[in-house]
């Protein structure tokens, strides 16, 4: 399987990570209904909405358009058992969840690479698609952050099969860019995307590493969404705060759809 642009040309993904928002079920329903209206107009995008756990069952009942999928923001490493306060992949699957974000930097504060790796395998084992977040907390002129990315990536994906590598999604989210502060350019993302693919090609073989799906996340707004897709050599975006603002999210979707 040699690299060709056509392979990477499947539908773009836009993930809405609602984090611990909104405050009420009514607001969640209203944001979702506006996303549904937008979805009907899109041909090139699959939208993955990731509500907080209490809102997953509510949104699950409102699914409909074929290009909107339900995602979760986290899960436990085990599929069931005595783990007070946690949520299992089986429970998520039962509510029609198809994707699970794992290793988000806001969770990595309390989770090791090994824990994220365990979650990754659990998500894959039940047939859900992991969206695996990686990203450095800062950049240095010497490029040490690249070593950090390499180590984090390889530890997180340790023991994953070649076939599973092609079904998972990597979300590159530099921690310093999260939360509406600053974003990277499409050109910088292109370099990072090549770097990630090179590491994975060296480890899994070029037929696999080169075809992994990569998203960018961190301060995505309507002004930068199109440029990152156009120049970043990525399959999509992971959107945080802007996914809760219907007008802004609509413009992000339009920008992504508009890129040739
Ligand atoms: P942000 O969040 O878009 O608000 O920067 C992205 C994320 O944390 O996934």
């Amino acid at each position: 399987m040699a690299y060709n642009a056509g392979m990477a040309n499947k539908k773009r993904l836009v993930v809405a990570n609602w984090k611990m928002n909104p405050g009420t079920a009514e607001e969640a329903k209203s944001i979702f209904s506006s996303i549904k209206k937008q979805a009907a107009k899109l041909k090139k995008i699959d939208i993955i909405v990731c509500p907080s756990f209490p809102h997953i069952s509510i949104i699950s009942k409102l699914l409909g358009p074929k290009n909107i999928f339900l995602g979760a923001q986290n899960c436990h490493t085990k599929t069931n058992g005595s783990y007070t306060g946690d949520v299992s992949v089986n429970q998520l699957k039962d509510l029609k969840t198809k994707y699970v974000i794992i290793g988000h930097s806001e969770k990595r504060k309390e989770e090791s690479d090994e824990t994220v790796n365990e979650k990754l395998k659990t998500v894959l084992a039940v047939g859900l698609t992991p969206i695996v977040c990686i990203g450095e907390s800062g950049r240095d002129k010497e490029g040490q952050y690249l070593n950090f990315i390499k180590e984090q990536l390889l530890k997180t994906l340790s023991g994953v099969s070649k076939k599973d590598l092609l079904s998972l999604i990597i979300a590159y989210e530099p921690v310093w860019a999260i939360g509406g502060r600053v974003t990277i350019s499409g050109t910088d993302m292109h370099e990072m995307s090549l770097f990630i693919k090179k590491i994975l090609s060296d480890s899994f073989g070029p037929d696999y590493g080169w075809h992994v799906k990569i998203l960018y996340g961190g301060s995505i707004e309507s002004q930068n969404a199109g440029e990152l897709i156009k120049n970043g050599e990525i399959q999509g975006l992971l959107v945080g705060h802007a996914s809760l603002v219907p007008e802004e999210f609509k413009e992000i979707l339009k920008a992504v759809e508009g890129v040739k």
Side-chain angles (χ1 to χ4, degrees), residues 88-90 92-94 96-100 120 122-130 167-168:
S88 86
V89 280
N90 284 340
L92 295 170
K93 198 174 171 182
D94 185 49
K96 303 192 203 138
T97 303
K98 297 280 185 235
Y99 294 82
V100 186
L120 170 61
T122 306
V123 173
L124 286 166
V126 296
L128 299 182
T129 302
S167 62
L168 59 80

Side-chain angles (χ1 to χ4, degrees), residues 13-46:
L13 301 174
V14 176
V15 183
N17 177 12
W18 289 356
K19 308 194 179 186
M20 204 170 68
N21 302 295
T24 66
E26 281 317 306
E27 286 171 276
K29 283 194 226 169
S30 148
I31 298 168
F32 188 73
S33 107
S34 131
I35 295 178
K36 250 173 136 172
K37 277 193 208 123
Q38 281 313 305
K41 300 177 193 151
L42 304 170
K43 292 200 169 61
K44 294 188 200 156
I45 305 175
D46 279 341

